[in-house]
Amino acid sequence: MANTTLDASPHTSLTDRLVAARAASIVLATANAELKNRALEAISRAVATGAAEIVPANGLDLANGRENGLSTALQDRLTLSEPRLVALADAVLDIVGLVDPVGETVRGRILPNGIRIDQVRVPFGVVGVIYEARPNVTVDIAALALKSGNAVVLRGGSAAENTNRVLVGLIQDALASVGLPRECVQTIDEFGRAGAHELMQARGLVDVLIPRGSASLINTVVAESKVPVIETGAGVVHVFLDESADEAWSVDIVQNAKVQRPSVCNALETLLVHRGAAARLLPPVLARLRADGVVIHGDDETRAFFPDAVAATEEDWQTEYMSLDLAVKVVADIDEAMEHIRRYSTHHTESIITNNLGNAERFLNEVDSAAVMVNASTRFTDGGEFGFGAEVGISTQKLHARGPMGLPELTSTKWLVRGSGQIR
Amino acid sequence: MANTTLDASPHTSLTDRLVAARAASIVLATANAELKNRALEAISRAVATGAAEIVPANGLDLANGRENGLSTALQDRLTLSEPRLVALADAVLDIVGLVDPVGETVRGRILPNGIRIDQVRVPFGVVGVIYEARPNVTVDIAALALKSGNAVVLRGGSAAENTNRVLVGLIQDALASVGLPRECVQTIDEFGRAGAHELMQARGLVDVLIPRGSASLINTVVAESKVPVIETGAGVVHVFLDESADEAWSVDIVQNAKVQRPSVCNALETLLVHRGAAARLLPPVLARLRADGVVIHGDDETRAFFPDAVAATEEDWQTEYMSLDLAVKVVADIDEAMEHIRRYSTHHTESIITNNLGNAERFLNEVDSAAVMVNASTRFTDGGEFGFGAEVGISTQKLHARGPMGLPELTSTKWLVRGSGQIR
């Protein structure tokens, strides 16, 4: 079904867009923080005061969405009301306050021959972002890319196409108002699926591609892209209650990790419990979860303590529910717990609750995840909580960035080498 | 033509090998430096004293190579004589002396809620390496991977298959002698091209893939691999002689950058000269190069000073000669020089020779290459010269590592989070 669009902008080719992004990135790479911050302030003002343009476009997308059977939850994510615009504008202002990562010296020394070498942070250049119908991401990621000196090419979900076009237009006007190229921020939504595919093939024109959204979106990008990808992934997150786990900590941490915000990637999905502590810990832990409406999918031993539980199947151990469901399994010891984690974890976050120092250190050393915790809620794997000020996403890959990504993770480095005639 | 092989090892599937590599990597990830160093010492001894096994296998590969028309240069690279084995064994001992990167704290802090977070270096896990018929790489990369706690799966050139099988066998015996799994180092050469292809698809089993060799090998891996790749790339390397360049520095640096070792990636390929300095600098610089037998491919202005020069074509600006050839072009100023570099550079290394501080800083800031130099020979872009002790390769990509890669670049990180019951 063809969606209604606000206007048809004059078509340039997608390659033209990418070439323009490269040219803009060269200007942006040497823009100082003061200029970039003025651009961010202008963007923030434009979003805060742009309701008259943004809300009708968003209304069109919402109408199309309802016509196309978009779920209520997705309609909510798509909605940009005036209060939400104000919040979005404030988030952009927060980025003004962050330290510019560009130019930071990572390490440096003087070589024996007198040459000085310094490794300094530089922008990637052109960053591509492929995401779903959440127009707040459009503003958010444009602001983070701008602050880190990167031109950005956005491919949002088609369900937000009208909203995104208006937002990108406002952002481009704001860029121009401070003398930066409009092409620092571009959308390629009007090129549709073919455009997303072309973006993934544009090695040499695009320096890095960041998919944000569902596991299936991320897997598609990872499989198809010839441009290097930073994978922000799914979380089949585990908590292991060791034999010596404190009861109050166990109850609080499991409840917090599962219930506080079940739809996010750092929420708990599988609880493992030491057999020697099951009788002591499972009743209070599960009672608290039941009070919050959590559906337990338990193995046989768990169901002995909690007969209401759904019988867990192999599929449960592999599932990122993102809902008030929890898989629960009783294990013999820390070895079986870590073996289960090795097999089913997506290497996002795992936490052990224990008072055994040796087990705490083993868990920290041997579990291979982006964040490995002792006696803390898995909900802390978060750029804001880690003090980064803003979060680009949580990387579950091992190359370049792992765990919460802040502004420095949107940069590369180069070596500056200063000599006085040295040769080998 | 079927090559002669020394023996047919009992075939396991390639997936079995990769699963075994994963299991070995789990053991290796928590091995301390003492144990890894004992393994390196055992490998060094095995290589130093293994001539009786290695040289005949190498002789078989050389005989196959001659029969298949392998060039003299490639035959030389393939040859492992007894003195070369001793040098190779010494190189492994040098790695014993390097600091173990695993466990290094990159950064850490205490959050306002009292949680301590530390980002520490951890091995990637399983590293795949695809390379050409240089059996020294087999020993070199196995030692670097081992020291950084990674299991490694090697796919060498088929022309070195017999040599590599013997080398890997000796390395595996050395690993077993100190109690480490033999599968820490494996070859998949006997699976041929299909094996290389399968390795590139093994996302989830292999954490990172490093191609080493010709541009065509690297481009194939980059295009086909679903496993994240660290690209160690070609170098179309530039030197720009600015108007104020010192004559002696210009002569020495250009000669050193082009002539000292023309076949490597940090050797000079294109010389750019400021028009205002061409009459002063080109005659002495080119006279020195001519004395070393360098063939000049010049633009019209260059040929006015040096009529012997071959007329340069568009192709010359794009060529990594890796030989005693040099492209030379006269430019109007630093802007034209940087524009040329932007267009033709492979972003490896560029150097400006100048006494103009403003131009030096502009060049450092605006040129987008892994190493950007002032008044120094491009030959310094090298792990050994940078003080890394060993070099895994020189990355020309922007993700994860850029420029010379040492042991830390063979690691990822994870966050250790230590709490005392904190929830959000």
Side-chain angles (χ1 to χ4, degrees), chain A residues 124 203 231 256 398 424, chain B residues 124 203 231 256 424:
Chain A
F124 278 127
R203 196 176 176 98
E231 196 179 338
N256 182 256
K398 293 183 176 177
R424 278 179 78 175
Chain B
F124 278 127
R203 196 176 176 98
E231 197 179 338
N256 182 256
R424 280 179 76 173

Side-chain angles (χ1 to χ4, degrees), chain B residues 9-18 153-155 161 186-198:
Chain B
S9 59
H11 268 226
T12 50
S13 81
L14 195 137
T15 302
D16 291 343
R17 295 272 168 101
L18 300 181
V153 177
L154 303 166
R155 155 67 181 159
E161 191 175 339
Q186 295 179 94
T187 170
I188 57 163
D189 282 358
E190 75 259 38
F191 296 96
R193 276 173 180 276
H197 186 73
E198 205 178 327

